[in-house]
PDB file of all heavy atoms in Angstrom:
ATOM      1  N   SER Z 412    -183.324  94.798 -87.732  1.00 89.00           N
ATOM      2  CA  SER Z 412    -184.718  95.080 -88.191  1.00 89.00           C
ATOM      3  C   SER Z 412    -185.541  93.793 -88.334  1.00 89.00           C
ATOM      4  O   SER Z 412    -186.752  93.953 -88.601  1.00 89.00           O
ATOM      5  CB  SER Z 412    -184.560  95.754 -89.584  1.00 89.00           C
ATOM      6  OG  SER Z 412    -184.069  94.862 -90.530  1.00 89.00           O
ATOM      7  N   CYS Z 413    -184.941  92.638 -88.157  1.00 91.00           N
ATOM      8  CA  CYS Z 413    -185.627  91.433 -88.257  1.00 91.00           C
ATOM      9  C   CYS Z 413    -185.870  90.737 -86.831  1.00 91.00           C
ATOM     10  O   CYS Z 413    -185.066  90.999 -85.958  1.00 91.00           O
ATOM     11  CB  CYS Z 413    -184.898  90.419 -89.101  1.00 91.00           C
ATOM     12  SG  CYS Z 413    -185.000  90.734 -90.893  1.00 91.00           S
ATOM     13  N   LYS Z 414    -186.899  89.963 -86.727  1.00 93.00           N
ATOM     14  CA  LYS Z 414    -187.081  89.152 -85.533  1.00 93.00           C
ATOM     15  C   LYS Z 414    -185.950  88.164 -85.387  1.00 93.00           C
ATOM     16  O   LYS Z 414    -185.511  87.621 -86.439  1.00 93.00           O
ATOM     17  CB  LYS Z 414    -188.451  88.405 -85.625  1.00 93.00           C
ATOM     18  CG  LYS Z 414    -189.605  89.277 -85.384  1.00 93.00           C
ATOM     19  CD  LYS Z 414    -190.749  88.379 -85.003  1.00 93.00           C
ATOM     20  CE  LYS Z 414    -191.928  88.594 -85.787  1.00 93.00           C
ATOM     21  NZ  LYS Z 414    -193.004  87.656 -85.508  1.00 93.00           N
ATOM     22  N   ASP Z 415    -185.554  87.864 -84.230  1.00 93.00           N
ATOM     23  CA  ASP Z 415    -184.471  86.902 -84.006  1.00 93.00           C
ATOM     24  C   ASP Z 415    -184.771  85.569 -84.588  1.00 93.00           C
ATOM     25  O   ASP Z 415    -183.922  84.854 -85.088  1.00 93.00           O
ATOM     26  CB  ASP Z 415    -184.203  86.736 -82.476  1.00 93.00           C
ATOM     27  CG  ASP Z 415    -183.571  88.007 -81.856  1.00 93.00           C
ATOM     28  OD1 ASP Z 415    -183.149  88.878 -82.689  1.00 93.00           O
ATOM     29  OD2 ASP Z 415    -183.479  88.090 -80.671  1.00 93.00           O
ATOM     30  N   THR Z 416    -186.130  85.168 -84.525  1.00 94.00           N
ATOM     31  CA  THR Z 416    -186.523  83.845 -85.062  1.00 94.00           C
ATOM     32  C   THR Z 416    -186.577  83.756 -86.572  1.00 94.00           C
ATOM     33  O   THR Z 416    -186.932  82.786 -87.148  1.00 94.00           O
ATOM     34  CB  THR Z 416    -187.865  83.473 -84.524  1.00 94.00           C
ATOM     35  OG1 THR Z 416    -188.797  84.563 -84.731  1.00 94.00           O
ATOM     36  CG2 THR Z 416    -187.828  83.195 -83.019  1.00 94.00           C
ATOM     37  N   ASP Z 417    -186.200  84.939 -87.185  1.00 95.00           N
ATOM     38  CA  ASP Z 417    -186.281  84.936 -88.720  1.00 95.00           C
ATOM     39  C   ASP Z 417    -184.879  84.970 -89.366  1.00 95.00           C
ATOM     40  O   ASP Z 417    -184.718  85.268 -90.533  1.00 95.00           O
ATOM     41  CB  ASP Z 417    -186.999  86.189 -89.183  1.00 95.00           C
ATOM     42  CG  ASP Z 417    -188.478  86.126 -88.863  1.00 95.00           C
ATOM     43  OD1 ASP Z 417    -188.997  85.016 -88.577  1.00 95.00           O
ATOM     44  OD2 ASP Z 417    -189.148  87.143 -88.895  1.00 95.00           O
ATOM     45  N   VAL Z 418    -183.818  84.663 -88.470  1.00 96.00           N
ATOM     46  CA  VAL Z 418    -182.473  84.944 -88.977  1.00 96.00           C
ATOM     47  C   VAL Z 418    -181.600  83.772 -88.801  1.00 96.00           C
ATOM     48  O   VAL Z 418    -181.601  83.128 -87.688  1.00 96.00           O
ATOM     49  CB  VAL Z 418    -181.864  86.207 -88.292  1.00 96.00           C
ATOM     50  CG1 VAL Z 418    -180.383  86.311 -88.687  1.00 96.00           C
ATOM     51  CG2 VAL Z 418    -182.546  87.458 -88.620  1.00 96.00           C
ATOM     52  N   VAL Z 419    -180.754  83.374 -89.795  1.00 97.00           N
ATOM     53  CA  VAL Z 419    -179.658  82.452 -89.627  1.00 97.00           C
ATOM     54  C   VAL Z 419    -178.417  83.149 -90.113  1.00 97.00           C
ATOM     55  O   VAL Z 419    -178.353  83.704 -91.230  1.00 97.00           O
ATOM     56  CB  VAL Z 419    -179.837  81.110 -90.449  1.00 97.00           C
ATOM     57  CG1 VAL Z 419    -178.573  80.294 -90.408  1.00 97.00           C
ATOM     58  CG2 VAL Z 419    -181.082  80.372 -89.837  1.00 97.00           C
ATOM     59  N   ILE Z 420    -177.376  83.170 -89.267  1.00 97.00           N
ATOM     60  CA  ILE Z 420    -176.097  83.834 -89.655  1.00 97.00           C
ATOM     61  C   ILE Z 420    -175.135  82.763 -89.997  1.00 97.00           C
ATOM     62  O   ILE Z 420    -174.832  81.860 -89.171  1.00 97.00           O
ATOM     63  CB  ILE Z 420    -175.528  84.737 -88.546  1.00 97.00           C
ATOM     64  CG1 ILE Z 420    -176.621  85.802 -88.162  1.00 97.00           C
ATOM     65  CG2 ILE Z 420    -174.231  85.380 -88.924  1.00 97.00           C
ATOM     66  CD1 ILE Z 420    -176.255  86.576 -86.905  1.00 97.00           C
ATOM     67  N   ILE Z 421    -174.406  82.840 -91.173  1.00 97.00           N
ATOM     68  CA  ILE Z 421    -173.369  81.899 -91.504  1.00 97.00           C
ATOM     69  C   ILE Z 421    -172.071  82.719 -91.453  1.00 97.00           C
ATOM     70  O   ILE Z 421    -172.009  83.747 -92.138  1.00 97.00           O
ATOM     71  CB  ILE Z 421    -173.630  81.323 -92.939  1.00 97.00           C
ATOM     72  CG1 ILE Z 421    -174.883  80.578 -92.962  1.00 97.00           C
ATOM     73  CG2 ILE Z 421    -172.445  80.392 -93.289  1.00 97.00           C
ATOM     74  CD1 ILE Z 421    -175.223  79.986 -94.332  1.00 97.00           C
ATOM     75  N   THR Z 422    -171.168  82.325 -90.680  1.00 95.00           N
ATOM     76  CA  THR Z 422    -169.990  83.119 -90.408  1.00 95.00           C
ATOM     77  C   THR Z 422    -168.708  82.279 -90.337  1.00 95.00           C
ATOM     78  O   THR Z 422    -168.710  81.134 -90.415  1.00 95.00           O
ATOM     79  CB  THR Z 422    -170.176  83.884 -89.067  1.00 95.00           C
ATOM     80  OG1 THR Z 422    -169.125  84.850 -88.909  1.00 95.00           O
ATOM     81  CG2 THR Z 422    -170.212  82.983 -87.927  1.00 95.00           C
ATOM     82  N   THR Z 423    -167.617  83.015 -90.067  1.00 91.00           N
ATOM     83  CA  THR Z 423    -166.288  82.425 -89.942  1.00 91.00           C
ATOM     84  C   THR Z 423    -165.877  82.410 -88.427  1.00 91.00           C
ATOM     85  O   THR Z 423    -166.483  83.037 -87.610  1.00 91.00           O
ATOM     86  CB  THR Z 423    -165.258  83.186 -90.775  1.00 91.00           C
ATOM     87  OG1 THR Z 423    -165.273  84.574 -90.284  1.00 91.00           O
ATOM     88  CG2 THR Z 423    -165.492  83.178 -92.204  1.00 91.00           C
ATOM     89  N   GLY Z 424    -164.869  81.639 -88.146  1.00 90.00           N
ATOM     90  CA  GLY Z 424    -164.345  81.653 -86.793  1.00 90.00           C
ATOM     91  C   GLY Z 424    -164.519  80.357 -86.038  1.00 90.00           C
ATOM     92  O   GLY Z 424    -164.317  80.304 -84.749  1.00 90.00           O
ATOM     93  N   SER Z 425    -164.776  79.307 -86.757  1.00 90.00           N
ATOM     94  CA  SER Z 425    -164.938  77.987 -86.060  1.00 90.00           C
ATOM     95  C   SER Z 425    -163.630  77.444 -85.425  1.00 90.00           C
ATOM     96  O   SER Z 425    -163.669  76.531 -84.569  1.00 90.00           O
ATOM     97  CB  SER Z 425    -165.448  77.002 -87.088  1.00 90.00           C
ATOM     98  OG  SER Z 425    -164.515  76.747 -88.151  1.00 90.00           O
ATOM     99  N   GLN Z 426    -162.510  78.037 -85.767  1.00 87.00           N
ATOM    100  CA  GLN Z 426    -161.160  77.540 -85.231  1.00 87.00           C
ATOM    101  C   GLN Z 426    -160.746  78.581 -84.168  1.00 87.00           C
ATOM    102  O   GLN Z 426    -159.525  78.388 -83.703  1.00 87.00           O
ATOM    103  CB  GLN Z 426    -160.156  77.404 -86.335  1.00 87.00           C
ATOM    104  CG  GLN Z 426    -160.482  76.356 -87.368  1.00 87.00           C
ATOM    105  CD  GLN Z 426    -160.806  74.996 -86.735  1.00 87.00           C
ATOM    106  OE1 GLN Z 426    -159.883  74.447 -86.021  1.00 87.00           O
ATOM    107  NE2 GLN Z 426    -161.953  74.468 -86.941  1.00 87.00           N
ATOM    108  N   GLY Z 427    -161.559  79.453 -83.719  1.00 84.00           N
ATOM    109  CA  GLY Z 427    -161.158  80.443 -82.699  1.00 84.00           C
ATOM    110  C   GLY Z 427    -160.170  81.500 -83.149  1.00 84.00           C
ATOM    111  O   GLY Z 427    -159.496  82.047 -82.295  1.00 84.00           O
ATOM    112  N   GLU Z 428    -160.169  81.775 -84.452  1.00 82.00           N
ATOM    113  CA  GLU Z 428    -159.256  82.806 -84.986  1.00 82.00           C
ATOM    114  C   GLU Z 428    -159.577  84.187 -84.280  1.00 82.00           C
ATOM    115  O   GLU Z 428    -160.683  84.563 -84.175  1.00 82.00           O
ATOM    116  CB  GLU Z 428    -159.420  82.976 -86.484  1.00 82.00           C
ATOM    117  CG  GLU Z 428    -159.131  81.727 -87.250  1.00 82.00           C
ATOM    118  CD  GLU Z 428    -160.428  80.879 -87.522  1.00 82.00           C
ATOM    119  OE1 GLU Z 428    -161.298  80.873 -86.636  1.00 82.00           O
ATOM    120  OE2 GLU Z 428    -160.486  80.346 -88.594  1.00 82.00           O
ATOM    121  N   PRO Z 429    -158.492  84.845 -83.746  1.00 79.00           N
ATOM    122  CA  PRO Z 429    -158.726  86.035 -82.886  1.00 79.00           C
ATOM    123  C   PRO Z 429    -159.598  87.194 -83.552  1.00 79.00           C
ATOM    124  O   PRO Z 429    -160.382  87.800 -82.810  1.00 79.00           O
ATOM    125  CB  PRO Z 429    -157.342  86.520 -82.584  1.00 79.00           C
ATOM    126  CG  PRO Z 429    -156.454  85.365 -82.739  1.00 79.00           C
ATOM    127  CD  PRO Z 429    -157.066  84.543 -83.829  1.00 79.00           C
ATOM    128  N   MET Z 430    -159.428  87.436 -84.846  1.00 81.00           N
ATOM    129  CA  MET Z 430    -160.109  88.542 -85.509  1.00 81.00           C
ATOM    130  C   MET Z 430    -161.326  88.038 -86.309  1.00 81.00           C
ATOM    131  O   MET Z 430    -161.850  88.885 -87.062  1.00 81.00           O
ATOM    132  CB  MET Z 430    -159.073  89.310 -86.366  1.00 81.00           C
ATOM    133  CG  MET Z 430    -157.949  89.933 -85.611  1.00 81.00           C
ATOM    134  SD  MET Z 430    -158.586  91.021 -84.255  1.00 81.00           S
ATOM    135  CE  MET Z 430    -159.491  92.299 -85.203  1.00 81.00           C
ATOM    136  N   SER Z 431    -161.712  86.841 -86.239  1.00 89.00           N
ATOM    137  CA  SER Z 431    -162.827  86.352 -86.986  1.00 89.00           C
ATOM    138  C   SER Z 431    -164.112  86.913 -86.492  1.00 89.00           C
ATOM    139  O   SER Z 431    -164.237  87.464 -85.399  1.00 89.00           O
ATOM    140  CB  SER Z 431    -162.906  84.798 -86.902  1.00 89.00           C
ATOM    141  OG  SER Z 431    -163.179  84.394 -85.601  1.00 89.00           O
ATOM    142  N   ALA Z 432    -165.106  86.807 -87.295  1.00 92.00           N
ATOM    143  CA  ALA Z 432    -166.405  87.348 -86.918  1.00 92.00           C
ATOM    144  C   ALA Z 432    -166.955  86.758 -85.648  1.00 92.00           C
ATOM    145  O   ALA Z 432    -167.428  87.450 -84.787  1.00 92.00           O
ATOM    146  CB  ALA Z 432    -167.467  87.205 -88.106  1.00 92.00           C
ATOM    147  N   LEU Z 433    -166.919  85.447 -85.565  1.00 93.00           N
ATOM    148  CA  LEU Z 433    -167.418  84.779 -84.378  1.00 93.00           C
ATOM    149  C   LEU Z 433    -166.657  85.163 -83.072  1.00 93.00           C
ATOM    150  O   LEU Z 433    -167.275  85.385 -82.072  1.00 93.00           O
ATOM    151  CB  LEU Z 433    -167.367  83.253 -84.550  1.00 93.00           C
ATOM    152  CG  LEU Z 433    -168.000  82.464 -83.382  1.00 93.00           C
ATOM    153  CD1 LEU Z 433    -169.489  82.749 -83.300  1.00 93.00           C
ATOM    154  CD2 LEU Z 433    -167.737  80.918 -83.581  1.00 93.00           C
ATOM    155  N   SER Z 434    -165.300  85.288 -83.195  1.00 92.00           N
ATOM    156  CA  SER Z 434    -164.589  85.708 -82.024  1.00 92.00           C
ATOM    157  C   SER Z 434    -164.975  87.113 -81.602  1.00 92.00           C
ATOM    158  O   SER Z 434    -165.173  87.338 -80.395  1.00 92.00           O
ATOM    159  CB  SER Z 434    -163.064  85.774 -82.417  1.00 92.00           C
ATOM    160  OG  SER Z 434    -162.253  86.103 -81.317  1.00 92.00           O
ATOM    161  N   ARG Z 435    -165.230  88.011 -82.583  1.00 92.00           N
ATOM    162  CA  ARG Z 435    -165.686  89.356 -82.198  1.00 92.00           C
ATOM    163  C   ARG Z 435    -167.065  89.337 -81.610  1.00 92.00           C
ATOM    164  O   ARG Z 435    -167.334  90.163 -80.649  1.00 92.00           O
ATOM    165  CB  ARG Z 435    -165.621  90.230 -83.428  1.00 92.00           C
ATOM    166  CG  ARG Z 435    -164.157  90.652 -83.720  1.00 92.00           C
ATOM    167  CD  ARG Z 435    -164.044  91.622 -84.954  1.00 92.00           C
ATOM    168  NE  ARG Z 435    -164.264  90.874 -86.235  1.00 92.00           N
ATOM    169  CZ  ARG Z 435    -165.230  91.128 -87.080  1.00 92.00           C
ATOM    170  NH1 ARG Z 435    -166.091  92.115 -86.883  1.00 92.00           N
ATOM    171  NH2 ARG Z 435    -165.289  90.473 -88.270  1.00 92.00           N
ATOM    172  N   MET Z 436    -167.910  88.438 -82.079  1.00 94.00           N
ATOM    173  CA  MET Z 436    -169.227  88.255 -81.444  1.00 94.00           C
ATOM    174  C   MET Z 436    -169.133  87.793 -79.963  1.00 94.00           C
ATOM    175  O   MET Z 436    -169.790  88.363 -79.029  1.00 94.00           O
ATOM    176  CB  MET Z 436    -170.098  87.243 -82.205  1.00 94.00           C
ATOM    177  CG  MET Z 436    -170.510  87.708 -83.629  1.00 94.00           C
ATOM    178  SD  MET Z 436    -171.418  86.397 -84.420  1.00 94.00           S
ATOM    179  CE  MET Z 436    -171.259  86.920 -86.146  1.00 94.00           C
ATOM    180  N   ALA Z 437    -168.224  86.852 -79.800  1.00 93.00           N
ATOM    181  CA  ALA Z 437    -168.093  86.179 -78.479  1.00 93.00           C
ATOM    182  C   ALA Z 437    -167.548  87.163 -77.478  1.00 93.00           C
ATOM    183  O   ALA Z 437    -167.772  87.048 -76.263  1.00 93.00           O
ATOM    184  CB  ALA Z 437    -167.214  84.916 -78.579  1.00 93.00           C
ATOM    185  N   THR Z 438    -166.646  88.058 -77.877  1.00 92.00           N
ATOM    186  CA  THR Z 438    -166.038  89.054 -77.005  1.00 92.00           C
ATOM    187  C   THR Z 438    -166.808  90.367 -76.881  1.00 92.00           C
ATOM    188  O   THR Z 438    -166.386  91.279 -76.148  1.00 92.00           O
ATOM    189  CB  THR Z 438    -164.603  89.290 -77.404  1.00 92.00           C
ATOM    190  OG1 THR Z 438    -164.523  89.671 -78.737  1.00 92.00           O
ATOM    191  CG2 THR Z 438    -163.772  88.026 -77.198  1.00 92.00           C
ATOM    192  N   GLY Z 439    -167.860  90.568 -77.692  1.00 91.00           N
ATOM    193  CA  GLY Z 439    -168.669  91.782 -77.640  1.00 91.00           C
ATOM    194  C   GLY Z 439    -168.176  92.890 -78.509  1.00 91.00           C
ATOM    195  O   GLY Z 439    -168.500  94.042 -78.293  1.00 91.00           O
ATOM    196  N   PHE Z 440    -167.192  92.620 -79.420  1.00 91.00           N
ATOM    197  CA  PHE Z 440    -166.632  93.669 -80.263  1.00 91.00           C
ATOM    198  C   PHE Z 440    -167.167  93.669 -81.635  1.00 91.00           C
ATOM    199  O   PHE Z 440    -166.627  94.433 -82.509  1.00 91.00           O
ATOM    200  CB  PHE Z 440    -165.081  93.534 -80.243  1.00 91.00           C
ATOM    201  CG  PHE Z 440    -164.472  93.894 -78.967  1.00 91.00           C
ATOM    202  CD1 PHE Z 440    -163.959  92.817 -78.160  1.00 91.00           C
ATOM    203  CD2 PHE Z 440    -164.350  95.162 -78.587  1.00 91.00           C
ATOM    204  CE1 PHE Z 440    -163.325  93.180 -76.940  1.00 91.00           C
ATOM    205  CE2 PHE Z 440    -163.691  95.527 -77.338  1.00 91.00           C
ATOM    206  CZ  PHE Z 440    -163.217  94.514 -76.609  1.00 91.00           C
ATOM    207  N   HIS Z 441    -168.167  92.872 -81.960  1.00 92.00           N
ATOM    208  CA  HIS Z 441    -168.780  92.881 -83.319  1.00 92.00           C
ATOM    209  C   HIS Z 441    -169.721  94.101 -83.355  1.00 92.00           C
ATOM    210  O   HIS Z 441    -170.502  94.390 -82.489  1.00 92.00           O
ATOM    211  CB  HIS Z 441    -169.542  91.592 -83.578  1.00 92.00           C
ATOM    212  CG  HIS Z 441    -169.849  91.324 -85.000  1.00 92.00           C
ATOM    213  ND1 HIS Z 441    -170.840  92.083 -85.698  1.00 92.00           N
ATOM    214  CD2 HIS Z 441    -169.306  90.504 -85.877  1.00 92.00           C
ATOM    215  CE1 HIS Z 441    -170.890  91.638 -86.914  1.00 92.00           C
ATOM    216  NE2 HIS Z 441    -169.933  90.709 -87.102  1.00 92.00           N
ATOM    217  N   LYS Z 442    -169.685  94.831 -84.502  1.00 91.00           N
ATOM    218  CA  LYS Z 442    -170.384  96.074 -84.638  1.00 91.00           C
ATOM    219  C   LYS Z 442    -171.878  95.804 -84.657  1.00 91.00           C
ATOM    220  O   LYS Z 442    -172.668  96.622 -84.245  1.00 91.00           O
ATOM    221  CB  LYS Z 442    -169.971  96.855 -85.840  1.00 91.00           C
ATOM    222  CG  LYS Z 442    -168.543  97.444 -85.690  1.00 91.00           C
ATOM    223  CD  LYS Z 442    -168.189  98.293 -86.922  1.00 91.00           C
ATOM    224  CE  LYS Z 442    -166.795  98.874 -86.771  1.00 91.00           C
ATOM    225  NZ  LYS Z 442    -166.424  99.637 -87.996  1.00 91.00           N
ATOM    226  N   GLN Z 443    -172.327  94.753 -85.404  1.00 93.00           N
ATOM    227  CA  GLN Z 443    -173.744  94.582 -85.563  1.00 93.00           C
ATOM    228  C   GLN Z 443    -174.384  93.409 -84.802  1.00 93.00           C
ATOM    229  O   GLN Z 443    -175.527  93.445 -84.501  1.00 93.00           O
ATOM    230  CB  GLN Z 443    -173.992  94.203 -87.103  1.00 93.00           C
ATOM    231  CG  GLN Z 443    -173.748  95.402 -88.071  1.00 93.00           C
ATOM    232  CD  GLN Z 443    -172.336  95.525 -88.525  1.00 93.00           C
ATOM    233  OE1 GLN Z 443    -171.530  94.593 -88.439  1.00 93.00           O
ATOM    234  NE2 GLN Z 443    -171.908  96.732 -88.944  1.00 93.00           N
ATOM    235  N   VAL Z 444    -173.567  92.410 -84.423  1.00 93.00           N
ATOM    236  CA  VAL Z 444    -174.100  91.242 -83.815  1.00 93.00           C
ATOM    237  C   VAL Z 444    -173.657  91.088 -82.295  1.00 93.00           C
ATOM    238  O   VAL Z 444    -172.521  90.901 -82.087  1.00 93.00           O
ATOM    239  CB  VAL Z 444    -173.758  89.922 -84.478  1.00 93.00           C
ATOM    240  CG1 VAL Z 444    -174.448  88.722 -83.892  1.00 93.00           C
ATOM    241  CG2 VAL Z 444    -174.242  90.099 -86.044  1.00 93.00           C
ATOM    242  N   ASN Z 445    -174.538  91.235 -81.376  1.00 90.00           N
ATOM    243  CA  ASN Z 445    -174.308  91.090 -79.988  1.00 90.00           C
ATOM    244  C   ASN Z 445    -174.954  89.776 -79.526  1.00 90.00           C
ATOM    245  O   ASN Z 445    -176.195  89.646 -79.608  1.00 90.00           O
ATOM    246  CB  ASN Z 445    -174.887  92.246 -79.097  1.00 90.00           C
ATOM    247  CG  ASN Z 445    -174.081  93.553 -79.430  1.00 90.00           C
ATOM    248  OD1 ASN Z 445    -172.789  93.524 -79.418  1.00 90.00           O
ATOM    249  ND2 ASN Z 445    -174.851  94.602 -79.673  1.00 90.00           N
ATOM    250  N   ILE Z 446    -174.131  88.841 -79.075  1.00 94.00           N
ATOM    251  CA  ILE Z 446    -174.668  87.562 -78.597  1.00 94.00           C
ATOM    252  C   ILE Z 446    -175.537  87.851 -77.400  1.00 94.00           C
ATOM    253  O   ILE Z 446    -175.147  88.567 -76.469  1.00 94.00           O
ATOM    254  CB  ILE Z 446    -173.534  86.610 -78.318  1.00 94.00           C
ATOM    255  CG1 ILE Z 446    -172.650  86.295 -79.527  1.00 94.00           C
ATOM    256  CG2 ILE Z 446    -174.046  85.313 -77.736  1.00 94.00           C
ATOM    257  CD1 ILE Z 446    -173.438  85.613 -80.655  1.00 94.00           C
TER     258      ILE Z 446
END
């Protein structure tokens, strides 16, 4: 509901953990955030 330029997301997954939020974003399996 927000413009892309109005958002900063702080998340987990900086170590490549398979089920982390960032990993799911990178593979397209995150429910809300599509890269």
